[in-house]
Amino acid sequence: MSSCECLVVEKVSEDHAGGGEAAGERRAGGRAPRSEAMFPIYVMGSSRARAVLLDPSAAGDPIWEAVKAEARSEAEKEPILSSFLYASVLSHDCLERALSFVLANRLEDPTLLATQLIDIFNDVMMNDVDIRRSIRLDAQAFKGRDPSCAQYSWALLYLKGYHSLQSYRIAHVLWNQGRKVLALALQSRISEVFAVDIHPAAKIGEGILLDHGTGLVIGETAVVGNWVSLMQGVTLGGTGKEHGDRHPKIGQGALLGAGATILGNITVGEGAMIAAGSLVLKHVPPHSMAVGNPAKVVGYTEKEDPSLTMKHDARRDYFEHVAGSFPDSRSNGSVVK
């Protein structure tokens, strides 16, 4: 078995803003997150990344190396799990094949065998550079933003939010390849196993956190930008039986609180926060907080993207205070009323 052509993980700091920032902006269609330095970035255009793709032995994969080290350590602490950890992690030569094994064994059923799924998943991931980049950035998002995810291996092995997200990514590739029936079969199985329903045609960026995942619904024409965090029970749905583009568009760095429902072909601006339990029916401006049923904007902030800080508890008086420092032009027709 040949080694995976794993991509290089590089930290992008403010001092290193040249290539990393440009790459991040190209992929996101906007500004790079302020906390980009928190994330490993797979620099697609760099000579170093190209060298690794041509020669996998040129450099290692830090996330995969961490996963293996964690698995070895856990096997020593819990010998009863040693067989599981060997089969799931240590017997594989890269993150892609380990992930294929884990997902296949979660999603198999009597008529769709794990061995068949492993072949399908390996074929997709080993031939799609974007998905290989995304599975690592997502793993970093889980470890960096979820305090209960102390190790990369925990996301890979135990967190159904991560499992459902990566299963969706495979189904999305299959959908775009024209294998729509197989993609829909996977969507159905993902919904059964993980209680997460994401249409394979939906478009989801990278560096995504699905915290818990349970009850999450994302419709066919929804778009979710990079670095977004979604809590359990979030719905990105339509408003009726209309066809065409009918689902929400979520901007980069947004945070969608637990049970938030966002309906229709509307936009949640980048860096916006939707409070838990809110019902959003109109556009939400960038860097604002929308609260309530129906949701109303209660203020603005230019602070770090809420998806990265994961702070849900900002008080209304704080946001009203912040809002007072902005010109009235920020309150226009695009504000939820």
Side-chain angles (χ1 to χ4, degrees), residues 63-301:
I63 288 181
W64 174 236
E65 293 301 323
V67 168
K68 289 190 293 182
E70 292 161 6
R72 293 190 192 99
S73 175
E74 295 301 327
E76 292 177 2
K77 296 175 184 176
E78 290 287 355
I80 195 171
L81 293 177
S82 58
S83 295
F84 164 71
L85 292 167
Y86 178 80
S88 301
V89 176
L90 300 175
S91 65
H92 303 286
D93 63 353
C94 65
L95 181 60
E96 286 78 1
R97 290 196 173 96
L99 180 58
S100 292
F101 179 89
V102 171
L103 296 181
N105 280 278
R106 293 298 306 272
L107 295 172
E108 70 169 339
D109 67 16
T111 60
L112 197 56
L113 303 180
T115 52
Q116 296 172 307
L117 291 174
I118 287 172
D119 289 340
I120 294 168
F121 295 172
N122 277 334
D123 181 64
V124 168
M125 285 194 281
M126 298 303 293
N127 291 289
D128 191 302
V129 171
D130 288 335
I131 199 171
R132 290 160 56 192
R133 169 187 167 109
S134 294
I135 64 176
R136 290 168 172 80
L137 292 176
D138 294 342
Q140 180 65 32
F142 275 75
K143 184 175 181 294
R145 296 180 222 164
D146 183 355
S148 68
C149 182
Q151 300 181 359
Y152 291 113
S153 60
W154 291 9
L156 171 66
L157 296 172
Y158 309 120
L159 300 187
K160 72 173 186 176
Y162 185 78
H163 294 164
S164 58
L165 179 59
Q166 308 320 320
S167 300
Y168 146 79
R169 294 197 186 282
I170 293 168
H172 181 68
V173 171
L174 294 171
W175 180 273
N176 289 337
Q177 290 176 347
R179 304 177 72 180
K180 295 187 177 182
V181 173
L182 179 55
L184 290 171
L186 277 178
Q187 177 197 4
S188 176
R189 189 65 182 144
I190 293 164
S191 180
E192 283 184 72
V193 174
F194 302 126
V196 172
D197 194 355
I198 306 175
H199 194 284
K203 299 177 181 178
I204 299 179
E206 59 195 15
I208 302 296
L209 171 64
L210 301 187
D211 198 358
H212 303 290
T214 303
L216 179 79
V217 176
I218 298 179
E220 179 183 10
T221 62
V223 178
V224 177
N226 297 337
W227 320 111
V228 172
S229 294
L230 304 95
M231 305 300 290
Q232 67 272 17
V234 167
T235 296
L236 305 182
T239 57
K241 297 192 296 182
E242 69 272 19
H243 296 276
D245 195 356
R246 60 195 184 279
H247 294 103
K249 312 298 181 281
I250 309 301
Q252 172 175 302
L255 171 60
L256 308 185
T261 299
I262 305 168
L263 300 179
N265 185 14
I266 61 175
T267 299
V268 173
E270 68 174 70
M273 183 194 305
I274 308 300
S278 296
L279 172 62
V280 181
L281 300 174
K282 296 183 179 181
H283 299 296
V284 177
H287 308 292
S288 63
M289 181 178 183
V291 180
N293 183 356
K296 296 181 180 180
V297 170
V298 298
Y300 300 87
T301 177

